[in-house]
Amino acid sequence: MYAIEAQNVTKIIRGRTILNNVSLCAEQGEAVGIAGRNGSGKSMFFKAVCGLILPTSGSVSVFGTVVGKNGKFAPDTGMLIEAPGFLPNYSGYKNLRFLANIRRKIGKEEILNVLKTVGLDPESRKHVGKYSLGMRQRLGIAQAIMEDPEILILDEPMNGLDNAGVQDIRALLLELKAQGKTILLASHNHEDIAALCDTVHEMDGGVLL
C-alpha cells in the first residue's frame, strides 16, 4: 500500500482546468518533489492530497483512505499549504496550543520543543502579527510537524526564509526523512528539491510531467 496514491486527478473550476489527469504515488518514507512555477497547479494538487478539496474526477488515497469524499481529511498528515493562517494577537506558542487542543495529542512540552526545533524562541510572548515573514514560515512548519505525523505535505516551505533559515529547515527535513517520514514537497527552487527529494516531478499548466 502506498502512503499517497493519486489516480487521474482532475479539477475544473468555473470551466478552467486547474489539474489535468494527475497521477502520483509515494512510498512510505519517500520524499517526492514537485517543481513548477506559481500557478502551475501545485497548491491545488496538495489540497486534493490533504482532502481539502474534492477532485472533479479521479481520486486520492492516503494510507488506503480515500480523502476528500464525505469530508475525509488525510490521516496522520501534517500540512503547510500557502501562507499559514495564525491569530495575529497571540504568541506563537498560544497559536500552536489552540491547534493542539483540537486533537489533544500533544501538550505544553511538545509545543515548546517544536518551537525550539524550528528556530523560534519558545518563551517569547511576541504576537504573531509582529512576526517577520520568515518567523511566520517557521511557525507554519512547527504547526505541520508538531504532532509527529507520518506524512508531511509542504508547499513552498522555504518561502520568506533567509539563507540561514533555508539551511536550518533543509537540515530539519532531512532529519525527518531519515526518521522514515513520507514528504511531499513543492518548490519553485530546484536546489531545495534536489537536496531533499528521492523523486522529482515537474508540474506545468496542471499537468504532471
Side-chain angles (χ1 to χ4, degrees), residues 27 47 59 66 81 85 88 116 118 127 133 136 163 175 203 207:
E27 302 273 3
K47 288 177 182 177
S59 67
V66 178
I81 300 178
K116 201 180 300 179
V118 299
H127 289 177
L133 184 58
R136 288 177 67 90
N163 287 336
E175 185 181 326
M203 186 168 272
V207 176

Side-chain angles (χ1 to χ4, degrees), residues 137 141 156-161 165-166 169-170 173 187 192 196:
Q137 195 69 1
I141 292 165
E156 302 287 357
M158 311 300 183
N159 266 3
L161 297 176
V166 168
I169 298 306
R170 274 190 196 167
L173 295 180
S187 180
D192 290 335
L196 294 165

Side-chain angles (χ1 to χ4, degrees), residues 6 53 57 60 62 70 97 110 139 147 169 177 185:
I53 64 153
S57 62
V60 181
V62 175
N70 303 318
R97 191 64 194 251
E110 291 89 347
L139 188 62
E147 293 181 337
I169 298 306
K177 179 181 166 187
L185 172 76

Side-chain angles (χ1 to χ4, degrees), residues 87 89-101 111 115 124:
L87 300 171
N89 297 324
Y90 292 90
S91 68
Y93 169 79
K94 282 195 172 176
N95 268 275
L96 295 190
R97 191 64 194 251
F98 291 145
L99 291 168
N101 282 342
I111 296 170
L115 286 167
S124 173

Side-chain angles (χ1 to χ4, degrees), residues 8-24:
N8 308 117
V9 174
T10 294
K11 182 65 178 177
I12 299 171
I13 298 177
R14 292 190 291 276
R16 182 172 165 234
T17 301
I18 311 296
L19 296 173
N20 190 351
N21 208 35
V22 175
S23 294
L24 177 146

Side-chain angles (χ1 to χ4, degrees), residues 4-142:
I4 300 168
E5 185 174 8
Q7 295 185 324
N8 308 117
V9 174
T10 294
K11 182 65 178 177
I12 299 171
I13 298 177
R14 292 190 291 276
R16 182 172 165 234
T17 301
I18 311 296
L19 296 173
N20 190 351
N21 208 35
V22 175
S23 294
L24 177 146
C25 294
E27 302 273 3
Q28 192 160 356
E30 185 179 9
V32 177
I34 299 181
R37 301 169 299 174
N38 289 340
S40 61
K42 303 188 305 295
S43 296
M44 187 65 72
F45 178 61
F46 278 25
K47 288 177 182 177
V49 173
C50 293
L52 298 174
I53 64 153
L54 185 63
T56 305
S57 62
S59 67
V60 181
S61 297
V62 175
F63 291 129
T65 297
V66 178
V67 300
K69 288 186 177 178
N70 303 318
K72 283 194 175 176
F73 297 112
D76 208 2
T77 298
M79 61 191 80
L80 175 64
I81 300 178
E82 297 175 338
F86 293 110
L87 300 171
N89 297 324
Y90 292 90
S91 68
Y93 169 79
K94 282 195 172 176
N95 268 275
L96 295 190
R97 191 64 194 251
F98 291 145
L99 291 168
N101 282 342
I102 295 170
R103 292 198 286 187
R104 300 188 180 277
K105 288 179 70 175
I106 59 170
K108 180 177 181 178
E109 186 179 345
E110 291 89 347
I111 296 170
L112 294 176
N113 284 339
V114 81
L115 286 167
K116 201 180 300 179
T117 297
V118 299
L120 292 173
D121 178 2
E123 305 296 337
S124 173
R125 296 184 179 181
K126 185 175 186 175
H127 289 177
V128 170
K130 295 183 178 177
Y131 274 21
S132 67
L133 184 58
M135 290 173 72
R136 288 177 67 90
Q137 195 69 1
R138 287 174 187 263
L139 188 62
I141 292 165

